[in-house]
Amino acid sequence: MTFGGLGCNIFNPALAGRCFLLVSFPAQMTSWPEAGQLAQYADATTGATPLALIKAGQFDQLPDVVTLFVGYPGTLNTGAGCLGEVCELALLIGLFYMLWKKIITWHVPVSILLTVFVFAGIMHWINPTEFASPLYHLASGGLLLGACYMATDYVTTPITKSGKLLFGIGCGALTFCIRQFGGYPEGVSFSILLMNLLVPYLDRMTKTKPFGAMPHRKEAKSHE
């Protein structure tokens, strides 16, 4: 309601709320109980997420990509994380369903995922001992959740197709930079919120001329 109610949001409401909680309560928002302790969560053992392992450069402790992709229920390092980002396969099924029903278009999610893959692939090719494989970046954290369900919000994303592509490229580039060089192991939420600020400018830059429209001409004013 801060910006006028439904349809008037400047930022994605869900991500704005999550980032507010993350900044306000960083310890509680970044403590991860290991999987398999559903009955003992009041006194559970915590551990590092796959993204935290990537951030620390501990690639030898990462599970295989398939395990991360399907969210195999084992220890925390084999695929647990925030609610909604554990099983990448389920997220992709939801994405394909929305594309099939034409609820969203492919431009934003594909451009985000492809940008992260390209950036991570280049850095991994340059120095594989310091930068993780691009497949690990795609299969861990909230990248798929953000790209498929948060960044595709109608109100806070560009209207034009080229604007959506630019929006997705910006989200992907910021996500990788925050993950690799920022203070947080994850950067999807922050990248989408930052790109939400640029949506009006992207719409203005990429607006199309209506078919058959005549170019606007300023009439010369007479000074007589």
Side-chain angles (χ1 to χ4, degrees):
M1 300 301 294
T2 305
F3 302 104
L6 186 64
C8 303
N9 305 314
I10 299 176
F11 303 102
N12 184 292
L15 293 182
R18 184 183 188 279
C19 288
F20 175 80
L21 292 175
L22 180 61
V23 174
S24 302
F25 310 100
Q28 291 82 356
M29 293 291 290
T30 55
S31 297
W32 312 103
E34 292 187 358
Q37 303 179 87
L38 185 59
Q40 295 88 19
Y41 272 169
D43 186 24
T45 303
T46 60
T49 62
L51 282 179
L53 295 174
I54 293 176
K55 186 76 172 178
Q58 300 174 352
F59 305 144
D60 56 328
Q61 298 185 27
L62 286 170
D64 59 273
V65 177
V66 177
T67 302
L68 287 175
F69 185 73
V70 299
Y72 180 80
T75 63
L76 180 71
N77 294 343
T78 58
C82 292
L83 181 67
E85 68 179 30
V86 176
C87 183
E88 314 296 344
L89 178 60
L91 296 175
L92 286 178
I93 293 174
L95 172 63
F96 293 142
Y97 177 80
M98 290 191 296
L99 292 173
W100 175 50
K101 289 293 186 178
K102 298 182 179 180
I103 299 173
I104 62 173
T105 62
W106 60 269
H107 302 82
V108 171
V110 170
S111 58
I112 292 177
L113 298 176
L114 186 60
T115 301
V116 173
F117 184 86
V118 170
F119 272 73
I122 293 175
M123 300 305 291
H124 179 71
W125 177 71
I126 294 175
N127 189 353
T129 61
E130 184 177 353
F131 300 96
S133 166
L135 294 178
Y136 278 108
H137 279 277
L138 295 182
S140 58
L143 181 60
L144 274 175
L145 179 65
C148 301
Y149 302 96
M150 298 298 178
T152 53
D153 176 45
Y154 297 139
V155 180
T156 56
T157 52
I159 299 175
T160 62
K161 295 179 179 179
S162 54
K164 291 178 180 179
L165 290 174
L166 292 174
F167 178 84
I169 292 172
C171 289
L174 287 172
T175 296
F176 177 77
C177 290
I178 295 174
R179 280 184 171 187
Q180 198 63 52
F181 308 109
Y184 288 99
E186 179 62 286
V188 176
S189 300
F190 295 108
S191 67
I192 296 175
L193 290 178
L194 289 173
M195 290 304 298
N196 286 160
L197 291 171
L198 302 180
V199 168
Y201 303 100
L202 293 175
D203 281 333
R204 187 179 305 173
M205 289 170 50
T206 59
K207 65 179 180 181
T208 57
K209 184 177 68 175
F211 180 75
M214 298 296 293
H216 179 69
R217 296 179 181 178
K218 294 183 179 179
E219 296 181 359
K221 295 183 179 180
S222 175
H223 297 282
E224 299 180 0

